[in-house]
């Protein structure tokens, strides 16, 4: 704790300029009014915001139903359509405003206006209906960033179908698991696409997933957008080309009005068991969160060109690519490439080309750009930028300062946004016209978000303390449940031992409150790692490793990594007869990495594998992960090892057997 205190207390504070404050959506006065309202009349605060920012088909009369804690329903009897709120409501005011500028991997660019996007969505939605897709059906979307991926998501929302986007880098096995868990009947994909100059023919992975599922597959149709014209297997009537599906469809599709709590989407994320959790989001509360954070945290203005670099496969790509910007009628850039291809200037080139004004990316991308070309931003005209954002993991102060100085030229506030798949939108973040910024701190909870840090007895830690990050009151944008698993929802987010009888939402992160009241996220309290800003459960990788014929046992821990934040270090015990000879060690490591990539996806490949004779366990059989973490990071073992069943194992863990 001494370390964290000296680090946070000595931090410099960057205050917003007068010029920024004078134009900001929230200034100290309006911010104080919002906070007071949230404090004095919590439900009225949320009810008023929902009335102001959402176009309702039927206005709600009850703001919150908390009779079945922790299963909350917000804006209970209201009905709306999210796609109507993202498209139709702009048709009278800004039909010809550009909605999306798409930048492909090879630098090719195309754009659509709100009027065109609305037509495309209506046609595709009608196409889905012609296949039999109806309100409540689940549709998997396995596509890279593209205008069509957004069309597919918005089309589902339009007809009340529930989409579940699966990141196009996940393997056939992961896709199959999600299809089964969601009981999805339809799947939308592409023949293939290019990322970082490489061709990824993902229809093959879809076919492999269907083969894995065999007769258990619930999928009735696959819709394929032809992107690359790569060879792909087409089963008549089962596989349908996107262009054929929309060919004769009307460009008018009446929105399906759904209740506020109707599930808008399911998005899978890693938890502390081997099985990913299907986070289920509502329609109204989620939409409201996307809108208010665009306004408060990104200080969104009609004149902005907004760019969030996230992929639609993650929550950031849902909230700040598909829903938030469109709900506000923004012009936004989307990109299907990578920061380092064809070289480390692709981000700066795109900002210059489209005069991007609000730019949102992840610390891992920033670190890789610093490494690959720290002075490249100087070669481009980035003068259009006025605000920068960061998400996914704590941003280290060095990266923050580079971002602030070289990219933002010391006049763009950086909003370090803390949130999660489950919270749907920013929870803790600076308000750029109000907050003084401390590099590495996500500042404070947003108005109406009752976040706190508590100790193991449930008491607030107070200034200078550290503990569990919790949200003390239900909030409209939180997940509704875990798809098909209400029990897991309760135990994962409202665990008795921390939440107690107070019904606090437990985020799974630990945090520190400094003497100025700033929040600093310290990391996860469970066995979930954060690799390049993506959550990966160690249990998932362990179960993938153990399903290989050579592996008896495995334990995966995080190791500090300069670019990714954390990398994956796997300790593997082989089955008898499978321990490789010295000369075959590397081959088996390679084979296991490929195996994990096929079971989960390339993002889950271990960076290090060490073959060991056994794992350090307590007498009750629990793996002592702290020891493994220290060894992986080359640290001394200082902790008490008296509960260890086999203390002699420690020396043996330091090298391959
Ligand atoms: O540990 C926190 C970290 O990412 C987790 C959420 O991951 P995911 O659901 O994949 O969503 C990522 C994008 C919102 C959190 O529990 N995290 C996210 N943002 C930050 C962060 N840690 C520190 N600072 C942040 N700004």
């Amino acid at each position: 704790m001494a370390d964290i205190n000296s680090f946070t207390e000595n931090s410099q504070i960057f205050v917003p300029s007068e010029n920024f404050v004078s134009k900001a959506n929230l200034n100290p006065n309006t911010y104080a009014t919002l906070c007071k309202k949230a404090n004095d009349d919590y439900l009225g605060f949320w009810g008023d915001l929902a009335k102001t920012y959402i176009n309702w088909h039927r206005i709600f009369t009850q703001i919150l139903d908390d009779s079945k804690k922790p299963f909350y329903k917000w804006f209970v009897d209201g009905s709306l359509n999210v796609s109507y709120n993202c498209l139709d409501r702009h048709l009278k005011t800004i039909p010809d405003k550009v909605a999306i500028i798409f930048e492909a991997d090879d630098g090719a660019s195309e754009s659509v206006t709100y009027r065109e996007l609305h037509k495309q969505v209506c046609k595709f939605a009608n196409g889905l209906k012609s296949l039999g897709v109806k309100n409540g059906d689940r549709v998997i979307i396995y596509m890279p960033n593209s205008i069509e991926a957004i069309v597919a998501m918005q089309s589902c929302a339009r007809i009340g179908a529930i989409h579940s986007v699966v990141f196009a880098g996940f393997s056939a096995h992961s896709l199959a698991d999600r299809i089964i868990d969601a009981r999805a009947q339809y799947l939308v994909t592409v023949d293939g696409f290019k990322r970082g100059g490489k061709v990824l023919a993902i229809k093959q992975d879809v076919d492999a997933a269907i083969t894995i599922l065999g007769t258990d597959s619930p999928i009735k149709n696959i819709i394929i957008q032809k992107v690359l014209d790569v060879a792909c297997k087409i089963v008549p009537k089962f596989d349908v080309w996107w262009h054929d599906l929309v060919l004769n469809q009307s460009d008018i599709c009446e929105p399906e009005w759904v209740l506020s709590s109707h599930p808008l989407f399911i998005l899978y994320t890693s938890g502390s068991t081997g099985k990913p959790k299907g986070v289920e989001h509502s329609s109204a509360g989620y939409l409201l969160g996307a809108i208010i954070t665009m306004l408060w945290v990104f200080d969104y203005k009609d004149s902005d060109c907004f760019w969030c670099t996230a992929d639609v496969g993650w929550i950031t790509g849902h909230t700040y690519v598909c829903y938030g910007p469109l709900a506000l009628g923004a012009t936004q850039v989307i990109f299907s490439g990578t920061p380092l291809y064809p070289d480390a200037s692709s981000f700066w080139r795109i900002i210059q080309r489209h005069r991007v004004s609000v730019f949102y990316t992840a610390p891992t991308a920033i670190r890789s750009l610093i490494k690959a070309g720290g002075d490249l931003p100087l070669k481009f005209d980035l003068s259009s930028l006025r605000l920068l954002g960061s998400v996914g993991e704590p941003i280290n102060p060095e990266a923050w300062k580079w971002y602030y100085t070289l990219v933002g030229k010391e006049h763009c506030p950086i909003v370090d946004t803390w949130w999660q798949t489950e919270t749907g939108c920013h929870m803790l973040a600076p308000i750029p016209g109000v907050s003084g910024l401390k590099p590495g701190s996500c500042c404070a909870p947003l108005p109406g978000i009752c976040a706190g840090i508590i100790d193991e007895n449930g008491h607030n830690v107070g200034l200078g303390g550290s503990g569990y990050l919790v949200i003390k009151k239900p909030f409209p944008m939180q997940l509704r449940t875990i798809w098909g698993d209400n029990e897991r929802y309760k135990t994962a987010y409202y665990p008795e031992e921390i939440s107690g009888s107070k019904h606090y939402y437990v985020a799974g992160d630990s945090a520190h409150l400094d003497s100025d009241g700033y929040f600093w996220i310290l990391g996860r309290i469970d066995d979930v790692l954060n690799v390049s800003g993506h959550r990966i459960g160690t249990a998932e990788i362990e179960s993938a490793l153990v399903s290989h014929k050579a592996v008896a046992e495995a334990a995966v821990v995080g190791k500090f990594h300069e670019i990714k934040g954390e990398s994956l270090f796997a300790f593997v015990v082989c089955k008898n007869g499978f321990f490789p000879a010295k000369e075959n060690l590397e081959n088996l490591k390679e084979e296991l990495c490929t195996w994990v990539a096929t079971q989960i996806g390339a993002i889950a490949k271990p960076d290090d594998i060490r073959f060991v004779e056994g794992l350090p366990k307590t007498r009750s059989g629990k793996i002592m992960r702290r020891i493994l973490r220290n060894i992986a990071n080359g640290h001394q073992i200082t902790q008490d090892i008296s509960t260890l069943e086999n203390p002699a194992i420690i020396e043996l863990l330091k090298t391959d057997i």
Side-chain angles (χ1 to χ4, degrees):
M1 230 15 51
D3 281 343
I4 180 83
N5 276 322
S6 62
F7 172 66
T8 58
E9 299 306 323
N10 295 330
S11 178
Q12 189 184 348
I13 300 189
F14 295 77
V15 291
S17 68
E18 271 177 34
N19 181 37
F20 195 97
V21 178
S22 67
K23 297 179 195 144
N25 291 346
L26 288 186
N27 59 40
N29 291 333
T30 47
Y31 172 74
T33 312
L34 268 182
C35 294
K36 182 169 182 334
K37 167 92 179 162
N39 204 30
D40 296 349
D41 176 15
Y42 186 69
L43 293 185
F45 169 83
W46 287 117
D48 287 353
L49 289 171
K51 284 179 191 154
T52 308
Y53 292 117
I54 292 178
N55 278 72
W56 294 92
H57 179 63
R58 188 181 63 225
I59 192 77
F60 54 91
T61 58
Q62 187 185 357
I63 297 171
L64 172 66
D65 174 358
D66 61 356
S67 57
K68 296 202 180 83
K69 293 186 180 75
F71 298 91
Y72 302 105
K73 284 188 176 173
W74 284 86
F75 318 122
V76 186
D77 46 349
S79 71
L80 77 162
N81 181 280
V82 171
S83 147
Y84 180 92
N85 274 274
C86 291
L87 301 169
D88 306 49
R89 70 163 161 182
H90 307 310
L91 291 184
K92 283 213 180 82
T93 48
I94 46 164
D96 297 316
K97 182 172 178 184
V98 170
I100 305 173
I101 303 166
F102 170 68
E103 276 275 333
D105 195 51
D106 61 3
S109 177
E110 63 174 303
S111 63
V112 279
T113 64
Y114 274 91
R115 194 201 309 271
E116 290 159 349
L117 187 62
H118 177 262
K119 280 190 181 166
Q120 287 191 30
V121 168
C122 286
K123 275 176 169 272
F124 192 69
N126 282 328
L128 289 177
K129 284 212 272 191
S130 73
L131 293 175
V133 185
K134 24 178 222 324
N135 186 337
D137 284 351
R138 272 81 57 210
V139 179
I140 298 266
I141 299 175
Y142 187 57
M143 298 172 90
N145 266 7
S146 60
I147 294 175
E148 287 74 11
I150 296 177
V151 168
M153 293 164 83
Q154 289 282 346
S155 299
C156 289
R158 191 156 196 92
I159 62 175
I162 304 165
H163 62 67
S164 184
V165 184
V166 176
F167 174 60
F170 276 122
S171 69
H173 278 276
S174 290
L175 179 61
D177 289 346
R178 286 155 174 77
I179 292 173
I180 276 291
D181 192 80
R183 293 260 136 217
Q185 301 97 322
Y186 303 89
L187 192 151
V188 190
T189 189
V190 294
D191 56 346
F193 66 101
K194 279 190 183 167
R195 184 161 24 219
K198 286 195 210 113
V199 171
L200 298 152
I202 60 167
K203 172 62 167 55
Q204 288 172 7
D205 297 304
V206 174
D207 295 337
I210 301 294
T211 306
I212 290 165
L213 295 173
T215 51
D216 289 339
S217 170
I219 295 288
K220 294 182 189 162
N221 284 114
I222 295 174
I223 301 139
I224 312 129
Q225 185 210 350
K226 192 178 273 183
V227 175
L228 291 183
D229 215 0
V230 288
C232 70
K233 189 180 97 188
I234 296 291
V235 177
K237 298 214 170 97
F238 179 66
D239 289 310
V240 183
W241 287 110
W242 177 301
H243 53 264
D244 289 337
L245 185 68
V246 297
L247 192 60
N248 292 316
Q249 299 297 342
S250 158
D251 57 16
I252 298 170
C253 174
E254 277 307 306
E256 179 88 11
W257 305 111
V258 298
L259 285 175
S260 296
S261 57
H262 180 77
L264 177 64
F265 63 83
I266 305 166
L267 183 59
Y268 286 86
T269 188
S270 293
S272 48
T273 72
K275 188 172 179 274
K277 302 182 275 197
V279 170
E280 179 186 320
H281 272 289
S282 72
S283 297
Y286 170 80
L287 177 66
L288 179 63
I291 294 173
I292 56 168
T293 50
M294 284 290 296
L295 292 169
W296 295 351
V297 180
F298 290 135
D299 190 48
Y300 170 74
K301 309 256 179 356
D302 289 340
S303 52
D304 275 321
C305 179
F306 181 82
W307 182 20
C308 162
T309 64
D311 189 281
V312 287
W314 311 113
I315 190 68
T316 312
H318 282 56
T319 311
Y320 301 109
V321 177
C322 183
Y323 292 110
L326 296 181
L328 284 161
T331 293
Q332 69 168 321
V333 173
I334 64 171
F335 180 43
S336 66
T338 65
L340 299 180
Y341 179 83
D343 56 38
S345 58
S346 56
F347 277 8
W348 321 128
R349 194 172 296 119
I350 293 172
I351 292 172
Q352 172 178 276
R353 183 186 295 170
H354 302 296
R355 308 285 303 150
V356 171
S357 55
V358 176
F359 178 64
Y360 189 38
T361 195
T364 182
I366 297 170
R367 288 191 297 263
S368 67
L369 289 169
I370 297 174
K371 189 161 183 218
D375 56 356
L376 280 174
L378 299 174
K379 305 206 165 100
F380 293 84
D381 175 6
L382 307 182
S383 59
S384 53
L385 288 172
R386 64 177 198 88
L387 187 128
L388 303 172
S390 162
V391 60
E393 57 180 306
I395 176 164
N396 46 311
E398 301 70 40
W400 194 101
K401 284 182 185 144
W402 178 88
Y403 198 27
Y404 186 74
T405 313
L406 271 92
V407 182
K409 317 290 183 218
E410 300 186 0
H411 71 88
C412 301
I414 297 179
V415 288
D416 176 352
T417 59
W418 177 88
W419 59 297
Q420 311 177 293
T421 304
E422 294 85 343
T423 68
C425 67
H426 308 152
M427 295 280 109
L428 281 83
I431 302 285
V434 177
S435 319
L437 308 169
K438 288 192 184 188
S441 160
C442 54
C443 277
L446 299 180
I449 301 301
C450 303
I453 304 174
I454 59 169
D455 62 22
E456 48 282 359
N457 301 316
H459 301 131
N460 287 331
V461 295
L463 299 180
S466 303
Y468 303 114
L469 181 62
V470 296
I471 302 177
K472 297 181 174 178
K473 287 188 184 174
F475 46 105
M477 48 294 279
Q478 73 181 95
L479 76 164
R480 291 198 55 213
T481 188
I482 291 175
W483 179 258
D485 200 344
N486 286 343
E487 207 38 51
R488 192 171 177 196
Y489 164 76
K490 278 202 277 188
T491 51
Y493 304 109
Y494 294 89
E496 285 264 329
E497 62 280 16
I498 303 175
S499 186
S501 55
K502 298 188 182 120
H503 302 288
Y504 288 171
Y505 169 87
V506 178
D509 280 337
S510 58
H512 173 75
L513 193 67
D514 75 13
S515 61
D516 297 321
Y518 280 65
F519 284 66
W520 299 75
I521 306 297
L522 301 176
R524 302 284 308 179
I525 54 173
D526 51 14
D527 291 322
V528 174
L529 305 179
N530 190 327
V531 179
S532 300
H534 298 305
R535 242 205 264 183
I536 301 181
T538 52
E540 248 175 281
I541 308 171
E542 288 160 8
S543 70
L545 284 167
V546 172
S547 68
H548 185 276
K549 63 177 188 304
V551 178
E553 249 191 316
V556 176
V557 293
K559 176 181 172 187
F560 172 78
H561 189 281
E562 215 189 346
I563 307 275
K564 300 181 189 182
E566 251 178 333
S567 69
L568 303 169
F569 196 115
F571 291 87
V572 170
V573 183
C574 289
K575 285 183 189 153
N576 277 342
F578 281 95
F579 271 111
K582 279 255 171 319
E583 62 276 18
N584 291 331
L585 277 178
E586 291 311 312
N587 289 348
L588 185 57
K589 284 183 185 175
E590 191 79 2
E591 187 178 323
L592 291 179
C593 281
T594 312
W595 176 257
V596 173
T598 52
Q599 297 299 305
I600 305 175
I603 51 168
K605 268 195 206 176
D607 296 77
D608 294 276
I609 293 183
R610 181 165 297 166
F611 293 112
V612 290
E613 211 174 272
L615 297 171
K617 290 187 185 164
T618 60
R619 288 194 184 88
S620 58
K622 215 169 151 4
I623 297 172
M624 289 185 77
R625 286 171 189 277
R626 278 178 304 138
I627 291 181
L628 294 177
R629 237 173 268 137
N630 279 335
I631 292 176
N633 285 287
H635 298 158
Q636 293 296 331
I637 312 276
T638 50
Q639 66 257 50
D640 174 24
I641 51 164
S642 57
T643 54
L644 201 58
E645 192 188 21
N646 47 349
I649 196 97
I650 290 187
E651 274 315 300
L652 302 175
L653 292 167
K654 292 184 178 165
T655 51
D656 280 314
I657 51 163

